[in-house]
Amino acid sequence: MKQILRFILVGLIVLLVSAAGLFGYLIYTPEPAMPALTGTLTKATLTLDGETYTYRLYLPKGLTRNAPLVMVLHGSGQNGAQIRTETGYGFERLADQHGFGVVYPSGKAFDWNDCSKTGDFLVNGHESNDLHYLNTLVDRLVAAHGFNPQRVFATGVSAGGFMALRLALESPTRFRAVAAVSANVPAAGNFKCKPMAQGTSVLLMNGTADPLVPYAGGEVSLLGLFFQNGQVRSATASAEFFVAQNQLPQSARSEVPQPDSHNVQRLKWQDQSRFEVELVTIVGGGHGMPQPYWQRPRLLGPSPMAPNGPELIWQFFARQKL
């Protein structure tokens, strides 16, 4: 009997050690070092329709009125604090240099209620109204801090990227441009949004080796078991969806040279209109925001430290015409 118990105990220890090793190899990654920033980060709440939402707001030192505002949206099951670190504080570094505010909203459901029909959008038994929440948050911040309402931008990673695409389609009057990372437009059978006639500029940034959101389109899932979010279009078809939405001619397409980046391909659609669409392809890149400050978990695929995703996104936002 003692030998059987000893055998079971040894087996459990081996199992626990193996699980810890797999966790350390596939999932664990140290947080990025905190940079020297000039401004202040405040945590605040917004009560709306009986729900209390939390957000974090970064304001650089000496920020003037009429400054731009960048909203950064987290992935599934996360919050605003996590996407702040997972982007390597990249947007705050840029905010110090270029003078804009950064807000990190936290959702209430596991997923943002984006354009997909599939996902965990329930809060207290009903679907979360994230569109209303984020629109209201923008309005409150513009009124309280004097941000330029025509220079409000949104970006997000994974589920946050999917939600950014919904903002582009259903709130283009509030968001001058959006940038979606590791997210594609849901396929026709998985699409529930009602796009407004007015467009807005859109950047998509996707890795060709993303194990969760397939670059070539298909079913969104991790290992076929987790984060299932239905069918999506390919990255190219998603960009072309917004080209059509913004009524840009295919002749407006051009390649952006990248002489110093062998793993980056950029296609841009732009003519004399107010709107622009860009597709940034990270060749061999996995799931998440490429940036030089933080290595993503191996479970999410290759994690190139270049290009600097936040910097590319801010450059895209900054050049949008009023």
PDB file of all heavy atoms in Angstrom, residues 304-318:
ATOM      1  N   PRO A 304       8.216  38.929 -32.798  1.00  0.00           N
ATOM      2  CA  PRO A 304       9.287  39.819 -33.252  1.00  0.00           C
ATOM      3  C   PRO A 304       9.281  41.128 -32.480  1.00  0.00           C
ATOM      4  O   PRO A 304       8.218  41.653 -32.134  1.00  0.00           O
ATOM      5  CB  PRO A 304       8.952  40.047 -34.729  1.00  0.00           C
ATOM      6  CG  PRO A 304       7.487  39.774 -34.844  1.00  0.00           C
ATOM      7  CD  PRO A 304       7.193  38.710 -33.839  1.00  0.00           C
ATOM      8  N   MET A 305      10.456  41.647 -32.199  1.00  0.00           N
ATOM      9  CA  MET A 305      10.582  42.895 -31.445  1.00  0.00           C
ATOM     10  C   MET A 305      10.545  44.109 -32.369  1.00  0.00           C
ATOM     11  O   MET A 305      10.721  45.245 -31.919  1.00  0.00           O
ATOM     12  CB  MET A 305      11.878  42.881 -30.629  1.00  0.00           C
ATOM     13  CG  MET A 305      12.043  41.680 -29.737  1.00  0.00           C
ATOM     14  SD  MET A 305      10.729  41.475 -28.505  1.00  0.00           S
ATOM     15  CE  MET A 305      11.284  42.643 -27.251  1.00  0.00           C
ATOM     16  N   ALA A 306      10.352  43.876 -33.647  1.00  0.00           N
ATOM     17  CA  ALA A 306      10.227  44.951 -34.626  1.00  0.00           C
ATOM     18  C   ALA A 306       9.149  44.531 -35.627  1.00  0.00           C
ATOM     19  O   ALA A 306       8.947  43.335 -35.863  1.00  0.00           O
ATOM     20  CB  ALA A 306      11.549  45.218 -35.334  1.00  0.00           C
ATOM     21  N   PRO A 307       8.412  45.500 -36.174  1.00  0.00           N
ATOM     22  CA  PRO A 307       8.581  46.945 -36.003  1.00  0.00           C
ATOM     23  C   PRO A 307       8.012  47.426 -34.666  1.00  0.00           C
ATOM     24  O   PRO A 307       7.452  46.630 -33.912  1.00  0.00           O
ATOM     25  CB  PRO A 307       7.774  47.505 -37.173  1.00  0.00           C
ATOM     26  CG  PRO A 307       6.651  46.522 -37.319  1.00  0.00           C
ATOM     27  CD  PRO A 307       7.283  45.176 -37.079  1.00  0.00           C
ATOM     28  N   ASN A 308       8.143  48.714 -34.419  1.00  0.00           N
ATOM     29  CA  ASN A 308       7.552  49.326 -33.237  1.00  0.00           C
ATOM     30  C   ASN A 308       6.086  49.627 -33.562  1.00  0.00           C
ATOM     31  O   ASN A 308       5.759  50.639 -34.169  1.00  0.00           O
ATOM     32  CB  ASN A 308       8.306  50.611 -32.881  1.00  0.00           C
ATOM     33  CG  ASN A 308       7.838  51.208 -31.560  1.00  0.00           C
ATOM     34  OD1 ASN A 308       6.670  51.095 -31.189  1.00  0.00           O
ATOM     35  ND2 ASN A 308       8.755  51.849 -30.854  1.00  0.00           N
ATOM     36  N   GLY A 309       5.211  48.723 -33.164  1.00  0.00           N
ATOM     37  CA  GLY A 309       3.797  48.839 -33.494  1.00  0.00           C
ATOM     38  C   GLY A 309       3.153  50.137 -33.048  1.00  0.00           C
ATOM     39  O   GLY A 309       2.485  50.803 -33.842  1.00  0.00           O
ATOM     40  N   PRO A 310       3.303  50.521 -31.756  1.00  0.00           N
ATOM     41  CA  PRO A 310       2.709  51.790 -31.329  1.00  0.00           C
ATOM     42  C   PRO A 310       3.192  52.980 -32.155  1.00  0.00           C
ATOM     43  O   PRO A 310       2.401  53.880 -32.477  1.00  0.00           O
ATOM     44  CB  PRO A 310       3.158  51.899 -29.864  1.00  0.00           C
ATOM     45  CG  PRO A 310       3.303  50.483 -29.424  1.00  0.00           C
ATOM     46  CD  PRO A 310       3.852  49.766 -30.616  1.00  0.00           C
ATOM     47  N   GLU A 311       4.467  52.991 -32.529  1.00  0.00           N
ATOM     48  CA  GLU A 311       4.983  54.109 -33.314  1.00  0.00           C
ATOM     49  C   GLU A 311       4.358  54.140 -34.710  1.00  0.00           C
ATOM     50  O   GLU A 311       3.973  55.213 -35.201  1.00  0.00           O
ATOM     51  CB  GLU A 311       6.503  54.013 -33.424  1.00  0.00           C
ATOM     52  CG  GLU A 311       7.137  55.214 -34.094  1.00  0.00           C
ATOM     53  CD  GLU A 311       8.655  55.207 -33.997  1.00  0.00           C
ATOM     54  OE1 GLU A 311       9.245  54.101 -33.950  1.00  0.00           O
ATOM     55  OE2 GLU A 311       9.237  56.287 -33.969  1.00  0.00           O
ATOM     56  N   LEU A 312       4.244  52.979 -35.373  1.00  0.00           N
ATOM     57  CA  LEU A 312       3.595  52.928 -36.680  1.00  0.00           C
ATOM     58  C   LEU A 312       2.149  53.398 -36.590  1.00  0.00           C
ATOM     59  O   LEU A 312       1.649  54.118 -37.469  1.00  0.00           O
ATOM     60  CB  LEU A 312       3.638  51.512 -37.248  1.00  0.00           C
ATOM     61  CG  LEU A 312       4.933  51.029 -37.900  1.00  0.00           C
ATOM     62  CD1 LEU A 312       4.757  49.608 -38.413  1.00  0.00           C
ATOM     63  CD2 LEU A 312       5.338  51.950 -39.040  1.00  0.00           C
ATOM     64  N   ILE A 313       1.476  52.989 -35.539  1.00  0.00           N
ATOM     65  CA  ILE A 313       0.070  53.368 -35.363  1.00  0.00           C
ATOM     66  C   ILE A 313      -0.062  54.866 -35.133  1.00  0.00           C
ATOM     67  O   ILE A 313      -0.928  55.529 -35.729  1.00  0.00           O
ATOM     68  CB  ILE A 313      -0.551  52.557 -34.210  1.00  0.00           C
ATOM     69  CG1 ILE A 313      -0.733  51.096 -34.647  1.00  0.00           C
ATOM     70  CG2 ILE A 313      -1.888  53.155 -33.772  1.00  0.00           C
ATOM     71  CD1 ILE A 313      -1.094  50.152 -33.536  1.00  0.00           C
ATOM     72  N   TRP A 314       0.788  55.440 -34.291  1.00  0.00           N
ATOM     73  CA  TRP A 314       0.711  56.881 -34.064  1.00  0.00           C
ATOM     74  C   TRP A 314       1.034  57.650 -35.344  1.00  0.00           C
ATOM     75  O   TRP A 314       0.386  58.665 -35.636  1.00  0.00           O
ATOM     76  CB  TRP A 314       1.625  57.319 -32.929  1.00  0.00           C
ATOM     77  CG  TRP A 314       1.678  58.832 -32.867  1.00  0.00           C
ATOM     78  CD1 TRP A 314       2.738  59.639 -33.129  1.00  0.00           C
ATOM     79  CD2 TRP A 314       0.582  59.701 -32.582  1.00  0.00           C
ATOM     80  NE1 TRP A 314       2.387  60.970 -33.028  1.00  0.00           N
ATOM     81  CE2 TRP A 314       1.066  61.038 -32.689  1.00  0.00           C
ATOM     82  CE3 TRP A 314      -0.757  59.502 -32.254  1.00  0.00           C
ATOM     83  CZ2 TRP A 314       0.244  62.153 -32.479  1.00  0.00           C
ATOM     84  CZ3 TRP A 314      -1.574  60.616 -32.048  1.00  0.00           C
ATOM     85  CH2 TRP A 314      -1.080  61.920 -32.151  1.00  0.00           C
ATOM     86  N   GLN A 315       1.996  57.195 -36.106  1.00  0.00           N
ATOM     87  CA  GLN A 315       2.299  57.865 -37.376  1.00  0.00           C
ATOM     88  C   GLN A 315       1.077  57.857 -38.297  1.00  0.00           C
ATOM     89  O   GLN A 315       0.789  58.851 -38.982  1.00  0.00           O
ATOM     90  CB  GLN A 315       3.484  57.180 -38.063  1.00  0.00           C
ATOM     91  CG  GLN A 315       4.820  57.397 -37.370  1.00  0.00           C
ATOM     92  CD  GLN A 315       5.946  56.550 -37.950  1.00  0.00           C
ATOM     93  OE1 GLN A 315       5.713  55.764 -38.877  1.00  0.00           O
ATOM     94  NE2 GLN A 315       7.141  56.691 -37.422  1.00  0.00           N
ATOM     95  N   PHE A 316       0.347  56.742 -38.304  1.00  0.00           N
ATOM     96  CA  PHE A 316      -0.863  56.658 -39.106  1.00  0.00           C
ATOM     97  C   PHE A 316      -1.921  57.639 -38.602  1.00  0.00           C
ATOM     98  O   PHE A 316      -2.535  58.366 -39.390  1.00  0.00           O
ATOM     99  CB  PHE A 316      -1.402  55.225 -39.055  1.00  0.00           C
ATOM    100  CG  PHE A 316      -2.695  55.005 -39.796  1.00  0.00           C
ATOM    101  CD1 PHE A 316      -2.688  54.865 -41.180  1.00  0.00           C
ATOM    102  CD2 PHE A 316      -3.909  54.932 -39.124  1.00  0.00           C
ATOM    103  CE1 PHE A 316      -3.879  54.657 -41.873  1.00  0.00           C
ATOM    104  CE2 PHE A 316      -5.093  54.729 -39.802  1.00  0.00           C
ATOM    105  CZ  PHE A 316      -5.072  54.584 -41.193  1.00  0.00           C
ATOM    106  N   PHE A 317      -2.121  57.673 -37.285  1.00  0.00           N
ATOM    107  CA  PHE A 317      -3.094  58.613 -36.717  1.00  0.00           C
ATOM    108  C   PHE A 317      -2.693  60.077 -37.013  1.00  0.00           C
ATOM    109  O   PHE A 317      -3.531  60.886 -37.391  1.00  0.00           O
ATOM    110  CB  PHE A 317      -3.182  58.415 -35.212  1.00  0.00           C
ATOM    111  CG  PHE A 317      -3.869  57.134 -34.777  1.00  0.00           C
ATOM    112  CD1 PHE A 317      -3.694  56.641 -33.492  1.00  0.00           C
ATOM    113  CD2 PHE A 317      -4.666  56.421 -35.662  1.00  0.00           C
ATOM    114  CE1 PHE A 317      -4.315  55.481 -33.087  1.00  0.00           C
ATOM    115  CE2 PHE A 317      -5.296  55.231 -35.259  1.00  0.00           C
ATOM    116  CZ  PHE A 317      -5.121  54.766 -33.964  1.00  0.00           C
ATOM    117  N   ALA A 318      -1.437  60.382 -36.824  1.00  0.00           N
ATOM    118  CA  ALA A 318      -0.984  61.769 -36.895  1.00  0.00           C
ATOM    119  C   ALA A 318      -1.146  62.357 -38.295  1.00  0.00           C
ATOM    120  O   ALA A 318      -1.330  63.577 -38.440  1.00  0.00           O
ATOM    121  CB  ALA A 318       0.478  61.870 -36.467  1.00  0.00           C
TER     122      ALA A 318
END
